Amino acid sequence: MDMRLWCKLTYHRRLFLGLLVYSWLLVGCFAVFQYNREKTFKAEELNAQLQLINGHILDELNEGRGFGMESVGTNPFSDLRVSIINNDGKVVYDNSIDSLPDASHLDRSEISRAMSFGSGYTLRRHSESTGGTYFYSARKGDDYIVRTAVPYTVSLQGLLRADFGFLWFMIGIAFVMSVAGFFATRRIGLLVARLSRFAQKAERGERIYDNEPFPHDELGEISNNIVRLYVKLQKAVADRDRQHRLAIREEQEKTRIKKQLTNNINHELKTPVAAISVCLETLLAHKNLPDDKRYEFLQRCYSNSQRLKRLLDDVAVITRMDDGDGFIVKEKINIRDIVEEACADFELQAEGKGISVCNYIKEDVVVYGNMSLMMSVFHNLLANAIAYSGASIVELRIARANDNGYITVADNGVGVDDIHLSRLFERFYRVDKGRSRQVGGTGLGLAIVRNAVLIHGGEVRVENRRSGGLVFIIKLPLVDA
């Protein structure tokens, strides 16, 4: 077979053809061996019958009864040929010819074997004396060699022919082996084909899923293990790449936020710095200003400097949180104590605006966190409620569920439009920019609240209350006191 054509065949077909050739070659060799063995057995069986006759004739000769067919006695062969040869190879008697040949018979194969081993036979040989073909059997005595022969006729050919029944049996066995070999090699071929597809996909870098099981045998288990290991490796590489992309995206986002923060800070700083600069220029240019005007300009400078201080403090807090919570010291803290302190800090400011701050958190609420950051959360929420809500009541409550604490800071003010809710926690985002600057807001308070809560493993959201006002819901994981 052409090697190019052979290589184009699938592994299953090559394996099956190899097994088929091997099986039929094995059966053919065994059949030839068995055929020759059976033929030899039948020839030896015929030789044994003729040797009995040869022995009987030798006994008659040894007793001095002479030559003749009467010495043969009864035998199953009707056309038996008997020849008697002396030790010199000369034929002294033959019942099938009228004149005895002069040629020596010592070179005949059956005579040669008889001289060497005592007996011998030739399966088939043409006779020069009679012109016929015979099966010869010879036996050596003391003075003579007796040779009997049976004509190689159709009946004798049938007797010596091997039984072909076993050949058909062997052909049947070979056919069964071929069918079994087909299914066996087909199973292995399918497995190899799957492995080949797997290798090709792996080489192309395609995504491979462990959803095509292999047979439950040793080779199948090895193949399954190889595929599972590759799938795990592929998943690990994909996870690594995904984490790398997320890290790059996060770094890019941090860079964007810092750039945005820098731009926003620059923008926010311009207003108070410009106001302070104008006031100072006026004071320097007009040294004879009345005291009330001079006090008014100094008050404006102080108010804008305080605004600058709050802005810088908030930027410092935001920058600290952006650098990562790994640099923030955490310990067990009680939210109840922090809320009480924050309410006390804003008590006078709230009373000045006619707002009642009601703290209903009277039980221990312990979390694992940072005291100053959690204080900034409630400071900013109370400051926003007092400055912007227009409320008369601000309430703080606590609820527990599934090892989490849900702290609410609610007011009964005017609330905000729903379009603003999703952006309230953005840095420098203001619902009313003019009013926020008027009261000294930095636009970073709620961004600080969100980041501080996230650092503590919690969540924060804001909603409009049905009865009016806003409610901030802070979810924090609780720990044992």
Side-chain angles (χ1 to χ4, degrees):
M1 178 183 293
D2 189 353
M3 288 303 299
R4 290 176 296 179
L5 180 60
W6 173 260
C7 293
K8 289 182 179 180
L9 295 176
T10 62
Y11 178 79
H12 164 229
R13 291 180 178 177
R14 293 200 304 268
L15 187 62
F16 174 66
L17 287 176
L19 181 63
L20 195 66
V21 170
Y22 172 78
S23 300
W24 282 93
L25 185 62
L26 181 65
V27 169
C29 291
F30 181 77
V32 170
F33 169 77
Q34 185 66 19
Y35 175 83
N36 290 329
R37 183 182 177 186
E38 187 173 356
K39 190 172 182 180
T40 300
F41 172 76
K42 291 189 174 183
E44 290 180 350
E45 187 178 18
L46 176 59
N47 178 57
Q49 295 182 30
L50 293 177
Q51 288 294 343
L52 289 175
I53 299 174
N54 292 340
H56 180 71
I57 295 174
L58 282 174
D59 291 339
E60 293 291 330
L61 290 175
N62 291 334
E63 293 176 3
R65 298 183 182 179
F67 308 137
M69 286 301 296
E70 63 276 2
S71 301
V72 175
T74 60
N75 64 87
F77 307 104
S78 58
D79 48 359
L80 181 66
R81 178 183 177 185
V82 179
S83 301
I84 298 177
I85 301 121
N86 61 22
N87 290 332
D88 295 330
K90 182 176 177 59
V91 178
V92 297
Y93 175 77
D94 193 314
N95 68 335
S96 298
I97 54 178
D98 295 332
S99 59
L100 298 177
D102 295 330
S104 175
H105 280 51
L106 293 179
D107 59 345
R108 306 294 194 269
S109 59
E110 68 278 2
I111 303 298
S112 176
R113 291 192 187 97
M115 294 293 292
S116 300
F117 306 106
S119 64
Y121 72 89
T122 298
L123 184 62
R124 183 174 182 178
R125 192 179 73 245
H126 179 73
S127 175
E128 297 177 0
S129 303
T130 64
T133 303
Y134 295 89
F135 177 93
Y136 292 98
S137 176
R139 184 168 182 175
K140 183 180 183 307
D142 294 335
D143 300 320
Y144 300 100
I145 299 171
V146 176
R147 184 185 68 180
T148 53
V150 177
Y152 210 90
T153 59
V154 175
S155 60
L156 183 59
Q157 291 180 14
L159 177 65
L160 295 177
R161 184 181 297 117
D163 185 9
F164 286 96
F166 81 96
L167 290 177
W168 292 112
F169 175 75
M170 294 304 299
I171 291 173
I173 291 295
F175 178 77
V176 172
M177 289 175 61
S178 301
V179 173
F182 172 80
F183 288 104
T185 55
R186 180 174 178 268
R187 181 184 179 91
I188 298 176
L190 290 175
L191 191 148
V192 172
R194 290 183 190 176
L195 283 176
S196 177
R197 290 195 300 271
F198 159 74
Q200 292 172 1
K201 288 183 178 179
E203 184 179 7
R204 293 193 297 266
E206 297 180 9
R207 186 66 185 271
I208 296 175
Y209 300 93
D210 187 15
N211 56 2
E212 191 177 7
F214 289 89
H216 297 288
D217 52 26
E218 290 81 358
L219 188 57
E221 289 298 323
I222 294 173
S223 303
N224 276 322
N225 290 334
I226 293 174
V227 174
R228 279 195 295 266
L229 286 174
Y230 185 83
V231 169
K232 289 181 180 178
L233 177 62
Q234 195 178 51
K235 184 178 179 182
V237 172
D239 291 341
R240 182 205 62 189
D241 294 342
R242 183 167 56 254
Q243 293 296 329
H244 182 65
R245 289 193 298 270
L246 289 175
I248 293 177
R249 191 179 298 116
E250 184 178 352
E251 190 65 28
Q252 291 174 343
E253 182 65 14
K254 284 184 178 181
T255 303
R256 185 191 67 80
I257 291 174
K258 286 182 178 180
K259 184 176 180 180
Q260 184 183 31
L261 179 62
T262 302
N263 293 334
N264 289 336
I265 291 172
N266 182 56
H267 177 74
E268 293 295 326
L269 287 174
K270 286 181 179 179
T271 301
V273 168
I276 293 173
S277 179
V278 168
C279 290
L280 291 176
E281 287 176 358
T282 302
L283 289 172
L284 291 173
H286 302 83
K287 296 180 180 180
N288 297 323
L289 280 175
D291 291 340
D292 56 340
K293 286 291 184 180
R294 186 180 296 275
Y295 180 79
E296 180 182 348
F297 283 120
L298 290 174
Q299 185 66 33
R300 288 181 184 177
C301 287
Y302 177 76
S303 176
N304 280 286
S305 67
Q306 289 299 109
R307 181 180 175 187
L308 282 175
K309 180 179 180 299
R310 288 193 297 272
L311 179 61
L312 293 175
D313 289 342
D314 287 347
V315 169
V317 174
I318 286 286
T319 304
R320 181 185 174 196
M321 288 188 291
D322 284 345
D323 287 338
D325 59 351
F327 301 98
I328 298 174
V329 178
K330 294 182 180 180
E331 59 185 349
K332 288 184 178 181
I333 56 176
N334 196 329
I335 297 296
R336 181 196 63 187
D337 298 336
I338 295 175
V339 171
E340 288 178 353
E341 184 177 346
C343 291
D345 292 341
F346 286 91
E347 184 176 358
L348 293 178
Q349 187 178 346
E351 287 179 358
K353 288 198 171 186
I355 299 175
S356 298
V357 179
C358 303
N359 178 19
Y360 295 103
I361 302 176
K362 302 301 180 183
E363 57 183 298
D364 290 334
V365 183
V366 181
V367 301
Y368 188 72
N370 181 270
M371 177 74 74
S372 63
L373 286 182
M374 288 309 302
M375 182 66 73
S376 68
V377 169
F378 294 101
H379 266 212
N380 279 290
L381 290 177
L382 289 174
N384 277 5
I386 293 170
Y388 307 119
S389 69
S392 59
I393 299 176
V394 178
E395 298 177 338
L396 295 94
R397 300 179 183 275
I398 179 70
R400 297 172 183 267
N402 299 326
D403 297 328
N404 291 310
Y406 293 85
I407 305 165
T408 58
V409 180
D411 64 68
N412 64 345
V414 296
V416 299
D417 292 337
D418 290 340
I419 60 174
H420 297 294
L421 288 178
S422 61
R423 303 190 61 187
L424 283 183
F425 294 105
E426 294 181 9
R427 299 174 184 183
F428 297 106
Y429 183 80
R430 294 181 175 91
V431 176
D432 186 346
K433 296 183 179 180
R435 184 163 177 255
S436 297
R437 288 197 175 93
Q438 184 179 357
V439 298
T442 64
L444 293 173
L446 292 181
I448 292 174
V449 170
R450 181 192 62 180
N451 286 3
V453 172
L454 291 176
I455 286 175
H456 287 78
E459 300 174 2
V460 61
R461 68 179 190 273
V462 61
E463 300 173 355
N464 275 313
R465 301 175 68 187
R466 291 183 179 179
S467 58
L470 288 177
V471 56
F472 289 87
I473 304 168
I474 301 171
K475 173 187 174 184
L476 291 172
L478 304 181
V479 297
D480 296 332

